Amino acid sequence: MNHYPASIKNVIRHLNKLPGIGLKTAERLAMHLLSAPEPDVFELSRSIGELKKSIRLCSHCFALSDGDLCRICGNPSRDHSLLCVVENQADMVAIENAGAYTGVYHILQGLLSPMDNVGPDDIRIKELIAKIEKGNIAEVIIATGTNVEGEATASYISDCLARFSISITRIASGVPMGGELKYVDQVTLKKAMEARHAV
Amino acid sequence: MNHYPASIKNVIRHLNKLPGIGLKTAERLAMHLLSAPEPDVFELSRSIGELKKSIRLCSHCFALSDGDLCRICGNPSRDHSLLCVVENQADMVAIENAGAYTGVYHILQGLLSPMDNVGPDDIRIKELIAKIEKGNIAEVIIATGTNVEGEATASYISDCLARFSISITRIASGVPMGGELKYVDQVTLKKAMEARHAV
C-alpha cells in the first residue's frame, strides 16, 4: 500500500471502507480502474457522487425515490387499497422480485427494538396509522421478518390497527420451498405444523 | 434492479462492471453508500474521479507515479546501480512488500507474447537498453514471471544485454516456502532439483 502514489492510495483507502472489500480487493479494483476506459471511470465516479444528491424518500411510502412519488405509488395500475408493510427498501425489492404482489407498500424504516432504543416513534408507525385513517385501504399485509424484532413489530402494528374495520394479515411462515425437513430448524417446523392446512 | 430509482440503478450498473463485483454485491454496496456518511461517499467519488487525472508514468522506470519521478527513482538512498526488471506495477509492489530489495526498477509494461501480437517494440525493452548504455548499472535482475511469456521475455532480454559488461541475473525458481513436495508440480520440482546447491 505504501508503494503506491498518493492518488492510488486514496482510491484504495476509500474502496477498502466498503463492506466486504478488503485491502487486496481494493488494490485489485484500483488497478482495474487505472486501466479501464476513461469514460467508464468517470461515470462510476459521477454516479456515486450523484447518488446522495438525487435520492429522496417517496412522500407516500418512504421508499427510496428520485421524485416526490416512487414508481410504485405513482403507478395507477397498482392496487392502492392493498398495503404491504415492510422493514426496509431491500425487503420491498425482494417482494417485487418475487412478482406476486400488485398492491402498494409502506416502509417502516426499521423495526421495534427496545434493546437498541428503537421505539414506536422512531419508525414510521404514526404515518401508517394516518394513511389508514384516510380510508381507501382494504387490507394491510404485515411483511416484517420472522425474527424477534420482526414478530414484535408485527404484533404491535396489528394491535394499533385493530380498531379499524380492515383485514390485517401476516405473511405465512413455514418450511422454505425446496427445503428438506431434516435441515429445517425446530421453531420453523413447529410453526409449519401449527399452520398446516387441508389439501 | 428495475425496482430501484435511476440514480441507484446507475451506481449498481457501474459497480457491477468492476471485476469480481456481481449484481448482488453491487446492490449491497449501493445500499451501503446510501446510508454511509455524506463526506465518505463524496471522497470515494472524488478519489476515483481524480485517479486518472493525476497519475502518470515515472519518466525513469515507468512505474505509476504522481510526479515526474516515482518515490523509488527519486530516493537517493536506493542503490541506483542495481536494476530489477519486472512485468508491471503489481510485481514491483510485490517485491517491495517482500522488503528484500534496495535497488531500483524497470517496468516493462508487458511481456513478449507472439500469440497476442506483443513484440519487443511493444514493451519497454528499448528504454531498458538505453538505460544500460548510459552506464552506472552494475547488475540487472530479470524478475519476470516463470510462465511461458515470462521465461521468453527473460531469455530475450538477457540476449539483448549480453554485449554489456554487467552481471545479468534471474530470480531463483524452486519449491515455494512452506510447500510440501507432494503438492508441487513436476516442472517446478525438476527446476528445483537442477538448481540444487550445497548446504
Side-chain angles (χ1 to χ4, degrees):
Chain A
M1 173 91 166
N2 283 321
H3 311 298
Y4 289 108
S7 55
I8 301 183
K9 242 190 300 195
N10 264 342
V11 170
I12 294 176
R13 211 181 58 233
H14 287 109
L15 286 173
N16 189 18
K17 284 186 189 169
L18 298 175
I21 307 250
L23 198 55
K24 276 272 167 199
T25 309
E27 270 184 66
R28 197 166 46 82
L29 292 176
M31 287 297 136
H32 169 85
L33 288 174
L34 273 171
S35 57
E38 186 101 30
D40 282 14
V41 179
F42 177 75
E43 279 302 312
L44 173 64
S45 160
R46 201 192 53 79
S47 65
I48 293 174
E50 291 291 306
L51 184 60
K52 290 253 190 179
K53 280 182 214 154
S54 56
I55 281 295
R56 46 174 146 167
L57 295 181
C58 169
S59 62
H60 203 243
C61 74
F62 308 106
L64 300 167
S65 164
D66 30 25
D68 179 51
L69 278 187
C70 72
R71 283 164 181 236
I72 292 171
C73 289
N75 183 348
S77 69
R78 305 280 302 208
D79 181 354
H80 287 254
S81 70
L82 190 58
L83 187 66
C84 179
V85 178
V86 292
E87 176 189 351
N88 54 33
Q89 177 87 12
D91 289 357
M92 186 197 93
V93 169
I95 295 175
E96 280 300 291
N97 285 337
Y101 182 67
T102 55
V104 293
Y105 293 89
H106 180 87
I107 295 182
L108 291 172
Q109 298 187 312
L111 292 177
L112 296 178
S113 174
M115 298 279 282
D116 305 313
N117 274 325
V118 181
D121 292 339
D122 300 313
I123 63 177
R124 306 274 186 176
I125 290 182
K126 276 190 311 290
E127 290 87 345
L128 173 64
I129 295 172
K131 211 180 269 182
I132 290 157
E133 275 169 350
K134 277 191 198 156
N136 305 331
I137 305 283
E139 178 177 352
V140 172
I141 305 170
I142 305 175
T144 53
T146 52
N147 50 3
V148 176
E149 290 86 3
E151 291 289 356
T153 309
S155 143
Y156 183 86
I157 290 174
S158 66
D159 288 352
C160 288
L161 304 185
R163 64 189 164 101
F164 298 103
S165 57
I166 56 174
S167 87
I168 300 168
T169 56
R170 177 93 174 99
I171 47 162
S173 54
V175 179
M177 294 307 292
E180 284 191 53
L181 287 198
K182 63 183 169 193
Y183 298 129
V184 173
D185 67 285
Q186 295 173 348
V187 183
T188 303
L189 267 184
K190 190 159 166 278
K191 278 269 183 188
M193 290 299 283
E194 284 166 5
R196 67 189 179 279
H197 50 80
V199 287
Chain B
M1 172 89 166
N2 283 322
H3 311 298
Y4 289 110
S7 54
I8 301 183
K9 244 192 296 195
N10 265 342
V11 170
I12 294 176
R13 211 180 59 234
H14 287 110
L15 286 173
N16 189 18
K17 284 185 187 170
L18 298 175
I21 307 252
L23 198 56
K24 277 272 167 199
T25 308
E27 271 184 64
R28 196 166 47 83
L29 291 176
M31 287 297 136
H32 168 86
L33 288 174
L34 274 170
S35 57
E38 187 101 30
D40 281 14
V41 179
F42 176 74
E43 278 302 310
L44 173 65
S45 160
R46 202 193 52 79
S47 65
I48 294 173
E50 292 291 307
L51 183 61
K52 290 253 192 181
K53 280 181 213 154
S54 57
I55 281 295
R56 46 173 146 167
L57 294 181
C58 169
S59 62
H60 202 245
C61 73
F62 308 106
L64 300 166
S65 165
D66 29 26
D68 179 50
L69 277 188
C70 71
R71 283 165 181 236
I72 292 172
C73 289
N75 183 348
S77 68
R78 306 280 303 208
D79 180 354
H80 287 255
S81 70
L82 190 58
L83 186 66
C84 178
V85 177
V86 292
E87 176 189 351
N88 55 33
Q89 177 88 11
D91 289 357
M92 186 196 92
V93 169
I95 295 175
E96 280 299 292
N97 284 339
Y101 182 67
T102 55
V104 292
Y105 293 89
H106 180 87
I107 295 181
L108 291 172
Q109 297 189 310
L111 292 177
L112 296 179
S113 173
M115 298 279 281
D116 305 314
N117 275 325
V118 181
D121 292 339
D122 300 315
I123 63 177
R124 305 275 186 177
I125 290 183
K126 277 190 311 290
E127 290 87 346
L128 173 64
I129 295 172
K131 211 180 267 182
I132 291 158
E133 274 169 349
K134 277 193 200 154
N136 305 332
I137 305 283
E139 178 177 352
V140 172
I141 304 170
I142 306 175
T144 54
T146 51
N147 51 3
V148 177
E149 290 86 3
E151 291 289 355
T153 309
S155 143
Y156 182 87
I157 290 175
S158 65
D159 287 352
C160 288
L161 304 186
R163 62 189 164 100
F164 297 102
S165 57
I166 56 173
S167 87
I168 301 168
T169 55
R170 177 94 174 97
I171 48 163
S173 55
V175 179
M177 293 308 292
E180 284 190 53
L181 286 197
K182 63 184 170 191
Y183 299 129
V184 173
D185 67 285
Q186 295 173 348
V187 183
T188 302
L189 267 185
K190 191 158 165 278
K191 277 271 184 187
M193 290 299 282
E194 284 167 5
R196 68 188 179 278
H197 50 79
V199 289

